[in-house]
């Protein structure tokens, strides 16, 4: 049976991580891809679990040597998914979920048209701004950069296969489950 690749994007603070966590707890057979990033770990984040935290030099080496399936600069840091890592997961028979921003999602769709793109939307821009500030994990400059990205991402969401509004967490998780199950049945 063909293994599927799902890409989930959504603006910072939209709660996509929480929706995804809920989905993965109920569907542990899916694997969440681990990305490379040049940003510093947040408290509690572990190398090789949340991300592979690498230097800018190492990231540039991977770009120059075509090692990434996709990569993007986001709010001053670099993020990317290694081709080798994804191919290995698919060969191992795993259905994979990538949680990445929209530029990267479009690159994946170009290279792997069978990938399914899902965007998690906020109920409104204002809700998102409040959630982002409420996290208290970033300074004002970082928050502003992230809000600029939000506007761009909401525009990019128009090109996604599915859009799920995260107004109520439980509803968002069950909608994500039915979208993914529907796609799996097409295999
Ligand atoms: P954070 O710094 O909050 O963990 O992530 C910032 C943004 O980078 C999020 O929108 C997240 O989905 C995205 N991101 C994480 N990993 C990757 C990746 O490998 N590629 C791309 N293009 N974006 C990523």
């Amino acid at each position: 049976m063909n293994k599927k690749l799902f890409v989930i994007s959504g603006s910072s603070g939209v709660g996509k991580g929480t929706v995804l966590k809920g989905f993965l707890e109920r569907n542990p057979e899916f694997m969440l891809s681990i990305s490379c990033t040049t940003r510093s770990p947040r408290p509690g984040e572990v190398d090789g679990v949340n991300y592979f935290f690498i230097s800018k030099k190492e990231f540039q080496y991977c770009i120059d040597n075509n090692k990434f399936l996709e990569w993007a600069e986001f709010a001053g840091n670099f993020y990317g998914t290694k081709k080798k890592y994804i191919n290995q997961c698919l060969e191992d028979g795993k259905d994979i979920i990538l949680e990445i921003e929209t530029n990267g999602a479009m690159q994946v769709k170009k290279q792997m048209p069978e990938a399914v793109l899902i965007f998690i939307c906020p109920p409104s821009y204002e809700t998102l701004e409040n959630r982002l500030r409420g996290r208290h994990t970033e300074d004002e400059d970082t928050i502003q950069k992230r809000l600029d990205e939000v506007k761009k991402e909401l525009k990019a969401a128009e090109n996604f296969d599915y859009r799920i509004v995260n107004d109520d967490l439980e509803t968002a998780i069950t909608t994500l489950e039915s979208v993914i199950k529907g796609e799996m049945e097409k295999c």
Side-chain angles (χ1 to χ4, degrees), residues 31-169:
M31 205 197 128
L32 186 62
S33 162
I34 305 171
S35 302
C36 298
T37 184
T38 60
R39 85 151 161 74
S40 311
R42 295 193 186 117
E45 285 185 332
V46 177
D47 186 41
V49 176
N50 304 90
Y51 281 105
F52 297 110
F53 295 99
I54 65 173
S55 65
K56 280 195 178 143
K57 197 175 163 195
E58 204 179 329
F59 201 97
Q60 190 59 51
Y61 171 87
C62 292
I63 296 174
D64 295 344
N65 290 279
N66 202 21
K67 303 267 183 211
F68 287 125
L69 170 65
E70 63 74 34
W71 67 272
E73 187 178 358
F74 181 91
N77 294 301
F78 291 91
Y79 297 83
T81 310
K82 287 255 184 88
K83 276 183 197 165
K84 197 173 165 191
Y85 174 81
I86 294 300
N87 290 338
Q88 189 60 56
C89 294
L90 291 170
E91 271 170 32
D92 290 349
K94 291 170 180 150
D95 293 304
I96 315 172
I97 301 185
L98 266 64
E99 194 224 303
I100 64 177
E101 53 72 65
T102 48
N103 286 319
M106 299 323 294
Q107 292 172 46
V108 173
K109 190 74 176 176
K110 218 175 197 177
Q111 296 200 49
M112 302 174 85
E114 69 282 11
V116 179
L117 269 50
I118 304 167
F119 191 87
I120 312 281
C121 311
S124 70
Y125 178 82
E126 289 70 29
T127 324
L128 194 92
E129 183 170 3
N130 291 340
R131 278 191 203 164
L132 199 53
R133 292 189 187 284
R135 284 205 307 213
H136 300 298
T137 48
E138 282 96 5
D139 58 26
E140 183 55 32
D141 186 45
T142 308
I143 288 175
Q144 279 307 331
K145 279 189 188 154
R146 281 173 183 255
L147 287 173
D148 289 345
E149 298 289 346
V150 166
K151 288 180 193 151
K152 284 187 219 153
E153 296 211 312
L154 289 175
K155 181 88 192 107
E158 292 165 15
N159 299 315
F160 276 54
D161 298 306
Y162 297 94
R163 282 169 293 281
I164 298 173
V165 177
N166 184 19
D167 196 357
D168 171 69
L169 179 62

Side-chain angles (χ1 to χ4, degrees), residues 3-41:
K3 289 291 136 188
K4 277 255 179 197
L5 192 138
F6 294 91
V7 179
I8 303 203
S9 297
S11 320
S12 304
V14 76
K16 64 179 182 299
T18 319
V19 175
L20 201 47
K21 188 165 167 269
F23 173 84
L24 290 168
E25 274 167 12
R26 295 176 201 181
N27 302 275
E29 67 279 17
F30 285 87
M31 205 197 128
L32 186 62
S33 162
I34 305 171
S35 302
C36 298
T37 184
T38 60
R39 85 151 161 74
S40 311

